[in-house]
Amino acid sequence: MKKRILLLLLIALMLLPGAAMAKRPSFGGSGGKDEVQEEKKEKSEAERLEYLKEEARQDTLDKLRRAYEPKPKDYDQNTVCSFGPQFRDVSPRMTDEWYMFTPIDLSEDGVQQFDLIAGNMYVVGELTVTVKAGKVQVDYAYTDPNIEIGREYFTFFPDYESITAEDLEQFKPRFGYGRNYSIEDKLGGDTDVVLFVCNTATFQRTTRGILSYYQTNPDRVEMREAMLDMIGK
């Protein structure tokens, strides 16, 4: 009996280390899980950083796009005429537009210059009429290169009475800027003529070089009256 008990105790003692080892946690296995979790954490952090980088890049692109994209123009394809009286002030039935005309004497060689008025509100450039050796040339220049050129049109009328409402609606090209025209051949020899300029231009009110046009300015009024005297109005 004693031998049997001793044998059982011996067997129990032999099994104890194995049982203890079985219950002892496997550090190798736990370490593997920790590494996987760490990798997931690093991947998540990398993805978050990548997202933040892309967000910052898009924000920078948006700022650049807003800085360089064309800004809307205050005055799009605005009518531009050379300074002078308005047709509607002289002949109300001819047009409702504010269009101006410029009586001009081409009998002597020389250079004459007139302001270019846009929308009856701004001085945006200058018109030059050059007469030399029986020929006439018309040129113009805007005050700033940022003023976008639209339609380019001018014509001569032999006198004010020959102008019709249709002439102020249909801009049929007969002349071109920067070209010499024989006064005898192209204008029938007429030297007291009416110049009508009707360009279009696009610009902003903040465009450099443009000035406000005040039609009631005493100097402007005096100049218009002198022009009307030229045509007997």
Side-chain angles (χ1 to χ4, degrees):
M1 184 68 178
K2 290 181 180 180
K3 289 181 179 181
R4 187 177 179 183
I5 292 173
L6 289 172
L7 182 60
L8 291 173
L9 288 173
L10 182 59
I11 293 172
L13 289 172
M14 292 175 64
L15 293 175
L16 280 176
M21 290 181 64
K23 291 181 181 180
R24 190 179 300 164
S26 175
F27 293 103
S30 176
K33 291 181 180 179
D34 289 343
E35 289 177 2
V36 171
Q37 291 178 353
E38 187 65 26
E39 288 178 1
K40 288 182 178 180
K41 184 178 180 181
E42 289 178 358
K43 183 178 180 182
S44 177
E45 181 66 16
E47 290 176 349
R48 188 180 73 85
L49 290 174
E50 189 64 29
Y51 173 80
L52 291 175
K53 287 180 182 179
E54 180 62 21
E55 193 176 54
R57 189 178 74 87
Q58 288 297 333
D59 184 59
T60 300
L61 288 175
D62 288 341
K63 288 179 180 178
L64 289 172
R65 192 177 297 112
R66 287 193 296 270
Y68 289 99
E69 67 185 1
K71 294 179 174 61
K73 304 296 183 180
D74 292 322
Y75 300 100
D76 184 56
Q77 295 298 309
N78 208 242
T79 302
V80 178
C81 294
S82 56
F83 171 77
Q86 294 185 18
F87 286 103
R88 65 186 181 186
D89 289 340
V90 181
S91 306
R93 294 184 179 181
M94 187 177 293
T95 181
D96 292 329
E97 301 292 344
W98 65 271
Y99 297 157
M100 297 176 180
F101 62 91
T102 308
I104 189 169
D105 182 0
L106 304 178
S107 61
E108 296 183 4
D109 286 4
V111 177
Q112 301 179 60
Q113 295 178 314
F114 305 92
D115 286 335
L116 287 174
I117 313 299
N120 200 27
M121 293 183 294
Y122 294 102
V123 179
V124 297
E126 190 170 63
L127 186 85
T128 302
V129 180
T130 304
V131 177
K132 185 176 181 180
K135 294 184 178 181
V136 61
Q137 179 173 319
V138 180
D139 300 280
Y140 80 94
Y142 291 131
T143 57
D144 192 279
N146 291 315
I147 296 177
E148 297 175 15
I149 297 173
R151 180 180 64 218
E152 295 181 303
Y153 176 84
F154 78 91
T155 192
F156 289 106
F157 297 108
D159 50 57
Y160 185 85
E161 283 67 26
S162 65
I163 304 172
T164 66
E166 183 181 5
D167 291 325
L168 306 184
E169 295 172 355
Q170 300 180 7
F171 306 108
K172 300 176 181 178
R174 292 182 56 216
F175 300 90
Y177 290 106
R179 298 174 61 183
N180 279 314
Y181 294 99
S182 168
I183 295 174
E184 182 66 34
D185 297 338
K186 193 69 173 179
L187 304 182
D190 291 320
T191 55
D192 291 326
V193 296
V194 174
L195 174 64
F196 175 46
V197 173
C198 201
N199 294 349
T200 60
T202 298
F203 58 95
Q204 292 176 282
R205 68 185 68 194
T206 55
T207 299
R208 293 180 303 172
I210 68 172
L211 301 172
S212 295
Y213 167 66
Y214 300 102
Q215 60 179 340
T216 57
N217 179 289
D219 291 338
R220 295 289 191 185
V221 173
E222 184 178 349
M223 291 171 67
R224 286 198 300 270
E225 289 177 349
M227 289 179 174
L228 290 174
D229 287 340
M230 289 176 64
I231 60 173
K233 297 294 181 180

